[in-house]
Amino acid sequence: STLACILGSSAKMALAARMTPVRATGITRSRRVNVVARATPEQRVGLVAATGALAAALVCSPAAMADLNRFEYNAATEFGAGTALQYGEADIDGKDFSNQDLRRSNFTAASAKKANFAHSNLQGAYFIKAVVFRANFEGANLSDTLMDRAVINEANLRQANLQRAILTRSDLGGADIYGADFTNALLDKLQQQALCRYADGVNESTGVATRKSLGCGSARRFRASTPSNPDGPQPTEDEKDAFRASLPKYFE
């Protein structure tokens, strides 16, 4: 295994450091001088650490590393949670990742346009600088994900759990966020305001309203914020007729 390889290499180097004195040679114009000095215990420890690491890198076989990778995968990674699959900078456009355990997986700078992550567990996954244009995250667990500087335009985030997700400098233009839960998520103010313009629904898993999770103001106050707002209350036909009747008549 990798551990045995490192320990074996370190033991050999420790034995060599104990038995072999440090020898240095100096050359001057008049004569050649050989200087022999024995290493101190502190020097030996540093020598063993440095040479052991170098020996492990040079001596350990790829088979040992494969065994270590297999062990970590079976043990659910060093964090003990998730599969931690690696798709960094990969081209996975249109791939189907639905209904999978993808916790702590790495999709950094990946191209995942129109990929399907529906109902998958992506808690703690990395989507930094990823392109997930029109990707399907419906019902997915995206809590604690790092999705900053990502392209999430027109993505399907219906009923997704985005609690504590980092979405700074990401573009969610046109994303479907009906029922999505953004509780304690970190978004840019302008992005938050843009999403609040049409946020609606309640997350079925957490029971939190999308508008509340985004910290949106009152929808009624927003619609009535300005008279020219097309989403605001519009006058009825009777009110229009009453207004016309109130106008002065200059011509019969």
Side-chain angles (χ1 to χ4, degrees), residues 79-248:
F79 298 102
T83 55
L85 300 180
Q86 298 297 319
Y87 292 98
E89 300 184 358
D91 184 356
I92 51 174
D93 294 342
K95 297 289 185 180
D96 186 6
F97 294 95
S98 60
N99 298 291
Q100 295 186 31
D101 183 2
L102 298 168
R103 289 171 293 168
R104 300 184 186 273
S105 292
N106 179 27
F107 297 92
T108 299
S111 179
K113 295 186 290 291
K114 299 182 180 180
N116 185 13
F117 297 94
H119 305 288
S120 288
N121 189 353
L122 290 153
Q123 184 179 23
Y126 301 87
F127 283 92
I128 304 167
K129 295 184 178 180
V131 180
V132 289
F133 172 76
R134 289 189 177 178
N136 183 11
F137 291 100
E138 184 170 355
N141 181 6
L142 290 164
S143 59
D144 303 301
T145 53
L146 292 177
M147 301 185 76
D148 54 295
R149 294 165 289 174
V151 179
I152 319 177
N153 298 81
E154 301 182 27
N156 181 4
L157 296 171
R158 294 176 68 91
Q159 297 297 327
N161 182 356
L162 291 131
Q163 294 181 351
R164 301 174 301 278
I166 305 299
L167 295 159
T168 51
R169 297 179 63 187
S170 292
D171 189 353
L172 286 84
D176 186 351
I177 60 170
Y178 183 88
D181 186 353
F182 291 89
T183 301
N184 295 322
L186 189 59
L187 299 94
D188 297 324
K189 185 63 176 178
L190 292 177
Q191 185 69 83
Q192 180 255 356
Q193 292 174 342
L195 294 176
C196 283
R197 292 181 180 275
Y198 63 93
D200 198 5
V202 177
N203 189 275
E204 297 174 357
S205 299
T206 64
V208 178
T210 301
R211 293 190 60 82
K212 182 178 180 180
S213 68
L214 281 169
C216 302
S218 169
R220 181 178 180 180
R221 288 200 305 270
F222 169 76
R223 287 195 296 268
S225 57
T226 60
S228 60
N229 192 337
D231 295 327
Q234 303 298 317
T236 63
E237 292 299 323
D238 291 340
E239 291 174 332
K240 292 179 181 178
D241 291 339
F243 174 76
R244 296 189 188 99
S246 67
L247 295 176

